[in-house]
Amino acid sequence: MKRRYFGTDGIRGQSNIFPMTPDLAMRVGIAVGTIFRNGDHRHRVVIGKDTRLSGYMLENAMVAGFTAAGLDVFLLGPIPTPAVAMLTRSLRADIGVMISASHNPYQDNGIKLFGPDGYKLSDAIEMQIEELLDSDLSTQLAKPADIGRAKRVEGDIYRYIEQAKRTLPRDVTLQGLRIAVDCANGAAYKVAPLALWELGADVVTIGAEPDGRNINLECGSTHPETLQRKVHEVRADIGIALDGDADRVQIIDENGKIIDGDQLMAVIAESWAADGMLRGNGIVATVMSNLGLERFLKGRGLGLERTKVGDRYVVEHMRQNDYNVGGEQSGHIVLSDFGTTGDGLVAALQILACVKRSGKTVSDVCNRFEPVPQVLKNVRVKAGAPLEDASVLQAIADAESELAKNGRLLIRPSGTEPLIRVMAEGDDRAQVERIVDELISVIGAVRNAA
């Protein structure tokens, strides 16, 4: 069955335009409530959101849907996505909801769903929801006496702060560190600065004045240049850039250089392996992670398992194969000893622990390997299946043969746009660029002929 609503990370779109309308949000509440309304106990759902203007609209619509389905609703307000996952378990809720479009601009919004175990829903459950959304939901409404209630939960951010702080090793304090943190005017604008300050750091905060329209606007992990300037300005030891819902992070070293998710995973994997904490004798990342990371891990006797793009696929592989470190180059770092989804603040605390224990600078600690030159370009397609064309298949085979053991080729359709992504990496940048350009040309010719 083709998906109509769910993408790789929940439902997402432009606010007040299908599918991100109040009507659909209410229907999602009814549909999800129907599926998770099992047993005789009072059922409950927790709903968190980031700071987008449309969050109020969608939150109220979802409250209407869930209460109409007979569930009690706990409203958390602006709070990071990993906090919603944590509180879903802590409050013994049947379902958790995060209203957020992550790193997208404020005009967009989305709905992320978590099961009672704090993990994102499976493809099978999402397909059940899809079927219900297009059905007559009036038959699923609760009886008048069974309609749910809604209330705001006080102090929820402090529960998450305490949980995050406990992930820092007990022998580590952040005293003596000047930390610049960019909260992206998003969900962590209260949480991150307070947690770092309570751990002893001298905290300089930017991106902590949300107005509904400035989330991710020239700030946060997708616009790290703002934090780079602040690190230089205040002579910070480290910069921490979160995205709008704080499930991803980028680190800025004391020189203003960006440290991406691949380098962060290398640091954590090496540290945890030395401490005997790393399970699976390696980590899980996506097909987009740099070949340099794979070589770095191999040199230390560690492995790298790759999945499709999307942190949910990383988490699924981690659960199935007992890994406890995984993530994406973009900064989604999943540490399953501490949580069930990507957590930018917790990942940053693990990096800070390595920095403090080593007594070295962030640049010394976090630049673990030299990335292999990587080139990514897109081809827009309107129709047809150019990747099935014989000439394209032959060009791909030739490119793979040329790269052989000195590089890697990845060609995949985008999960969110009508694009084909062509990525190649290898030791010779000129060779990699030529290969990508040749493949783009062949795919483009087939597309234009269709």
Side-chain angles (χ1 to χ4, degrees):
M1 178 178 174
K2 185 177 180 181
R3 289 169 172 256
R4 186 182 180 197
Y5 304 102
F6 283 91
T8 55
D9 194 15
I11 302 171
R12 190 176 297 187
Q14 193 167 351
S15 302
N16 253 358
I17 298 174
F18 183 85
M20 287 318 306
T21 62
D23 175 66
L24 185 77
M26 183 178 68
R27 292 179 67 82
V28 169
I30 298 172
V32 175
T34 298
I35 292 172
F36 284 86
R37 191 176 56 203
N38 299 312
D40 297 328
H41 64 284
R42 286 297 301 177
H43 302 288
R44 59 177 60 168
V45 56
V46 297
I47 300 180
K49 62 181 180 179
D50 62 24
T51 56
R52 293 164 208 272
L53 183 64
S54 57
Y56 297 97
M57 173 186 77
L58 297 173
E59 179 185 59
N60 287 324
M62 297 202 76
V63 168
F66 279 115
T67 54
L71 279 75
D72 293 334
V73 181
F74 291 174
L75 295 169
L76 307 178
I79 195 168
T81 288
V84 172
M86 183 270 286
L87 288 164
T88 300
R89 291 176 295 157
S90 177
L91 294 172
R92 304 294 193 270
D94 297 274
I95 192 76
V97 179
M98 181 64 181
I99 301 172
S100 174
S102 191
H103 58 280
N104 287 25
Y106 89 91
Q107 294 92 337
D108 295 342
N109 217 328
I111 299 171
K112 301 181 184 183
L113 300 168
F114 297 90
D117 56 2
Y119 287 97
K120 291 179 181 177
L121 302 184
S122 67
D123 288 340
I125 294 178
E126 287 184 351
M127 293 309 298
Q128 283 184 262
I129 297 170
E130 291 249 354
E131 292 177 15
L132 278 173
L133 287 175
D134 289 329
S135 69
D136 179 8
L137 290 173
S138 64
T139 61
Q140 307 296 341
L141 300 181
K143 297 177 182 178
D146 297 328
I147 292 173
R149 301 173 183 268
K151 68 176 182 179
R152 295 208 171 269
V153 179
E154 301 297 332
D156 50 287
I157 67 168
Y158 302 107
R159 298 174 71 166
Y160 170 69
I161 287 172
E162 286 303 311
Q163 188 269 348
K165 286 164 55 180
R166 285 198 295 269
T167 67
L168 193 71
R170 296 183 67 87
D171 64 324
V172 175
T173 173
L174 302 185
Q175 289 182 356
L177 283 181
R178 174 169 289 181
I179 300 174
V181 58
D182 184 348
C183 303
N185 291 314
Y189 78 101
K190 291 181 180 179
V191 168
L194 185 55
L196 295 168
W197 176 79
E198 289 184 359
L199 289 167
D202 175 12
V203 183
V204 178
T205 304
I206 62 174
E209 297 179 351
D211 63 11
R213 294 182 174 88
N214 61 0
I215 185 170
N216 300 313
L217 181 62
E218 297 181 357
C219 60
S221 62
T222 49
H223 298 280
E225 59 275 5
T226 303
L227 184 58
Q228 288 175 293
R229 291 193 296 268
K230 181 58 69 172
V231 167
H232 279 301
E233 177 189 331
V234 302
R235 297 183 180 180
D237 299 296
I238 186 173
I240 299 171
L242 304 170
D243 70 337
D245 68 334
D247 66 350
R248 70 165 69 181
V249 64
Q250 284 197 333
I251 296 295
I252 309 298
D253 71 17
E254 75 281 2
N255 300 314
K257 180 181 177 181
I258 298 171
I259 311 295
D260 68 11
D262 283 348
Q263 296 283 1
L264 301 183
M265 286 188 284
V267 174
I268 295 170
E270 187 177 35
S271 173
W272 283 26
D275 291 342
M277 293 174 56
L278 188 68
R279 296 203 305 274
N281 197 43
I283 68 172
V284 181
T286 74
V287 291
M288 296 304 295
S289 277
N290 195 274
L291 182 60
L293 171 62
E294 187 173 340
R295 291 173 175 174
F296 170 83
L297 294 171
K298 184 178 181 180
R300 282 149 184 79
L302 304 174
L304 173 64
E305 294 285 320
R306 294 184 183 270
T307 72
K308 293 190 293 184
V309 173
D311 64 311
R312 62 179 298 177
Y313 301 112
V314 171
V315 173
E316 285 176 7
H317 193 90
M318 290 172 66
R319 295 180 73 187
Q320 292 168 1
N321 298 279
D322 196 32
Y323 286 87
N324 60 348
V325 175
E328 296 186 281
Q329 190 181 63
S330 61
H332 280 118
I333 309 296
V334 183
L335 306 173
S336 60
D337 287 1
F338 305 133
T340 57
T341 189
D343 192 323
L345 176 59
V346 168
L349 290 176
Q350 294 304 301
I351 299 300
L352 287 166
C354 294
V355 170
K356 286 291 289 186
R357 282 176 163 175
S358 71
K360 299 178 181 179
T361 63
V362 175
S363 59
D364 286 336
V365 171
C366 292
N367 291 289
R368 306 310 299 151
F369 62 89
E370 186 66 32
V372 170
Q374 190 179 81
V375 177
L376 171 65
K377 294 186 179 181
N378 300 319
V379 183
R380 186 166 293 275
V381 293
K382 294 182 179 179
L387 293 184
E388 297 176 9
D389 183 87
S391 62
V392 172
L393 292 173
Q394 184 60 54
I396 292 172
D398 292 343
E400 289 176 334
S401 177
E402 183 177 350
L403 284 172
K405 296 181 180 180
N406 297 318
R408 191 168 64 93
L409 180 68
L410 174 66
I411 301 177
R412 66 181 183 90
S414 168
T416 57
E417 300 175 87
L419 302 172
I420 292 175
R421 305 194 189 279
V422 180
M423 189 275 283
E425 57 183 358
D427 298 312
D428 185 339
R429 175 172 288 278
Q431 178 192 40
V432 168
E433 290 178 345
R434 175 179 54 77
I435 286 173
V436 169
D437 287 341
E438 288 176 355
L439 287 171
I440 289 287
S441 178
V442 173
I443 295 171
V446 172
R447 173 202 63 185
N448 293 330

